[in-house]
């Protein structure tokens, strides 16, 4: 993924009917049709506003950090909605998008994606935020100090319970702490953390590694990172009990070795 601009999609989003699994009696369905409200049982993407693409715009140098290799961040987020309409959300002067590109993922299972971004505050540092067609939905707390950043890892059902978690490394150059937040009812709750890992070095214009889910007896989501000393490629798994288990996948041999570990073997 390149440093500058563009949209980054984490996977296809399948439409889902809001009436799935609900048998409808014929007289009721006919009455709804007569009243002109049968659209209640159309797929969610047909009824609701659905985000198709997202990108950062309005480059700015008002936040002098440069952790991603240059002094340019972004002041606004542009969303393209199904049907072609666009929406522009401009941050206040104390905030920037200190990030590579927005990430699209269906976090609530309604068939339409949300947008995951990194926002940095001039005095309080970075936070992870979730946006929808109407604006910001929720966000984690800011790290608490200027020029303190976080590196997103991915979004997936990490513990197999059907709910989606978001993962990032808090201060990958300093604290080197993996944090996992569950998205539910439009909010984020931190459910697990682990120290001694990283996925970014100062000046890199990319964030290697991520989340993989390989088939087989050990299937399930695994987070691919480096250890804090940049000697090993690690796979971390969140158990249903909320514990993080780690194992060594390979020696660390540069950022490409983290990306290579995302590829499932034969």
């Amino acid at each position: 993924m390149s440093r500058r601009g563009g949209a980054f999609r984490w996977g296809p989003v399948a439409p889902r009917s809001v009436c799935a699994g609900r048998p409808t009696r014929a007289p009721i369905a006919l009455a709804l049709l007569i009243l002109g409200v049968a659209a209640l049982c159309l797929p969610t993407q047909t009824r609701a506003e659905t985000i198709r693409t997202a990108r950062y715009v309005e480059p700015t140098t008002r936040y002098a950090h440069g952790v991603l290799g240059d002094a340019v961040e972004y002041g606004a987020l542009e969303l393209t909605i199904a049907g072609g309409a666009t929406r522009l959300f401009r941050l206040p002067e104390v905030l920037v998008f200190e990030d590579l590109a927005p990430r699209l993922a269906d976090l609530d299972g309604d068939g339409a994606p949300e947008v995951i971004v990194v926002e940095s505050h001039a005095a309080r540092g970075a936070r992870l935020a979730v946006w929808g067609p109407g604006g910001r939905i929720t966000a984690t707390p800011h790290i608490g100090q200027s020029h303190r950043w976080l590196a997103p890892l991915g979004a997936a059902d990490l513990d197999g319970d059907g709910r989606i978690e978001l993962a990032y490394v808090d201060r990958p150059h300093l604290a080197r702490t993996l944090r996992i937040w569950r998205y539910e009812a439009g909010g984020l709750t931190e459910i697990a953390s682990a120290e001694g890992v990283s996925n970014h070095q100062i000046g890199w214009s990319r964030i290697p590694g991520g989340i993989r889910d390989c088939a087989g007896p050990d299937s399930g989501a695994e987070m691919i990172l480096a250890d804090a000393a940049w000697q090993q490629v690690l796979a971390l798994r969140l158990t249903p009990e909320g514990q993080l288990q780690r194992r060594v996948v390979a020696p660390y041999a540069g950022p490409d070795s983290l990306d290579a570990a995302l590829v499932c073997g034969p």
Side-chain angles (χ1 to χ4, degrees), residues 8-13 102-109 113-117 128-130 151-160 162-169 178-183 188 199 209-213 221-224 238 262:
F8 178 62
R9 191 179 183 86
W10 278 355
V13 179
R103 302 150 185 85
L104 270 63
D106 183 3
L107 301 180
D108 55 13
E114 285 70 43
V115 182
I116 303 166
V117 302
L128 196 72
V130 177
L153 193 69
D157 179 6
L158 295 176
D159 57 2
R163 295 174 289 182
I164 299 297
E165 286 79 38
L166 284 69
Y168 64 77
V169 178
L178 171 67
R179 298 196 185 278
I180 299 175
W181 297 73
R182 176 170 293 137
Y183 184 82
L188 289 166
N199 61 344
I211 299 176
R212 73 177 191 181
D213 191 346
E222 290 185 307
M223 295 163 279
I224 302 300
L238 180 66
L262 294 173

Side-chain angles (χ1 to χ4, degrees), residues 177-221:
T177 300
L178 171 67
R179 298 196 185 278
I180 299 175
W181 297 73
R182 176 170 293 137
Y183 184 82
E184 192 170 26
L188 289 166
T189 303
E190 187 173 6
I191 62 169
S193 64
E195 297 179 351
V197 297
S198 187
N199 61 344
H200 188 265
Q201 294 187 23
I202 293 175
W204 280 1
S205 59
R206 58 186 290 203
I207 303 173
I211 299 176
R212 73 177 191 181
D213 191 346
C214 299
D218 296 324
S219 63

Side-chain angles (χ1 to χ4, degrees), residues 10-222:
W10 278 355
V13 179
R16 188 175 76 177
S17 172
V18 296
C19 295
R22 299 180 186 177
T24 304
R25 296 177 183 174
I28 296 176
L30 180 60
L32 289 173
L33 184 60
I34 292 171
L35 291 172
V37 294
L40 289 172
C41 288
L42 292 175
T44 301
Q45 284 195 7
T46 302
R47 293 192 310 109
E49 296 180 310
T50 300
I51 297 170
R52 294 304 187 196
T53 65
R55 65 172 185 151
Y56 297 133
V57 294
E58 298 186 7
T60 177
T61 57
R62 66 181 181 240
Y63 186 67
H65 191 194
V67 73
L68 288 163
D70 60 33
V72 180
E73 309 306 338
Y74 293 95
L77 174 67
E78 182 183 87
L79 305 181
T80 302
I81 309 298
T86 60
R87 289 191 186 153
L88 182 69
F89 297 97
R90 187 172 286 115
L91 293 176
E93 286 294 312
V94 294
L95 284 172
V96 297
F97 294 108
E98 189 178 17
D99 199 3
L100 297 167
R103 302 150 185 85
L104 270 63
D106 183 3
L107 301 180
D108 55 13
D110 68 351
E114 285 70 43
V115 182
I116 303 166
V117 302
V118 180
E119 301 174 2
S120 289
H121 188 280
R124 300 197 292 270
R127 68 181 178 186
L128 196 72
V130 177
W131 288 65
R136 187 186 300 108
I137 299 170
T138 188
T140 66
H142 289 279
I143 289 172
Q145 182 178 342
S146 182
H147 297 167
R148 297 296 182 266
W149 185 67
L150 60 86
L153 193 69
D157 179 6
L158 295 176
D159 57 2
D161 69 351
R163 295 174 289 182
I164 299 297
E165 286 79 38
L166 284 69
Y168 64 77
V169 178
D170 176 359
R171 291 159 289 175
H173 324 117
L174 296 170
R176 300 181 177 91
T177 300
L178 171 67
R179 298 196 185 278
I180 299 175
W181 297 73
R182 176 170 293 137
Y183 184 82
E184 192 170 26
L188 289 166
T189 303
E190 187 173 6
I191 62 169
S193 64
E195 297 179 351
V197 297
S198 187
N199 61 344
H200 188 265
Q201 294 187 23
I202 293 175
W204 280 1
S205 59
R206 58 186 290 203
I207 303 173
I211 299 176
R212 73 177 191 181
D213 191 346
C214 299
D218 296 324
S219 63
E222 290 185 307

Side-chain angles (χ1 to χ4, degrees), residues 203-254:
W204 280 1
S205 59
R206 58 186 290 203
I207 303 173
I211 299 176
R212 73 177 191 181
D213 191 346
C214 299
D218 296 324
S219 63
E222 290 185 307
M223 295 163 279
I224 302 300
L225 308 103
D227 71 304
W230 294 93
Q231 299 297 309
Q232 299 172 326
V233 177
L234 305 176
L236 277 72
R237 185 184 293 260
L238 180 66
T239 70
E241 296 75 30
Q243 303 300 310
L244 281 164
Q245 300 174 341
R246 71 177 73 191
R247 63 187 180 89
V248 176
V249 174
Y252 174 76

